[in-house]
Amino acid sequence: MITAVVRYTLPPQIDHAACREHFHKIAPNFREVTGLISKHFIWSEGGWAGGVYQWERIEDATAFYTGPWLEGIIQRYGMKPQIDFYEVFAVTDNTRGKVELFEEALPPNDPE
């Protein structure tokens, strides 16, 4: 499993209410994204917004963050987003009373 944290600064005209409204509008569009397990739409008082995505595979994530999605982010927010990828080793899900342990998804960095 892969987690991607995507962040971008909001332009001044997009306040808390406008960001929330937009996220509520687009959230259903992510139901059919290939390989996407979940997306948390995030906002902070510091002027940042974005998403925390859970992906089945890194290939699905990197394919998604190009083309129309990237163009839409740049058009709406005026910047390329910061995207950080993380391999997920384990998940504790208290709502389901479950702990999941994952096998290696990304090749480890070779120190040589």
Side-chain angles (χ1 to χ4, degrees):
M1 179 186 291
I2 301 298
T3 295
V5 179
V6 176
R7 299 179 343 133
Y8 40 81
T9 56
L10 294 172
Q13 71 272 18
I14 300 179
D15 62 8
H16 177 270
C19 184
R20 180 185 191 101
E21 180 180 338
H22 179 69
F23 283 174
H24 282 191
K25 177 182 171 186
I26 67 170
N29 299 341
F30 288 82
R31 296 274 303 143
E32 303 300 322
V33 174
T34 300
L36 181 65
I37 298 167
S38 67
K39 178 181 178 185
H40 296 252
F41 294 80
I42 59 174
W43 173 89
S44 77
E45 289 185 23
W48 288 88
V52 178
Y53 298 71
Q54 297 295 317
W55 295 96
E56 293 174 6
R57 302 173 327 124
I58 189 71
E59 295 84 2
D60 295 326
T62 55
F64 178 77
Y65 298 127
T66 59
W69 178 87
L70 181 59
E71 293 166 15
I73 294 295
I74 293 169
Q75 181 180 20
R76 181 167 174 81
Y77 303 110
M79 67 173 289
K80 283 189 172 183
Q82 174 186 336
I83 304 174
D84 296 307
F85 295 98
Y86 302 89
E87 180 178 351
V88 178
F89 293 156
V91 172
T92 299
D93 185 339
N94 291 330
T95 62
R96 296 184 348 208
K98 187 175 179 182
V99 173
E100 294 181 80
L101 308 176
F102 300 99
E103 297 298 320
E104 190 171 296
L106 298 173
N109 289 334
D110 190 346
E112 296 180 272

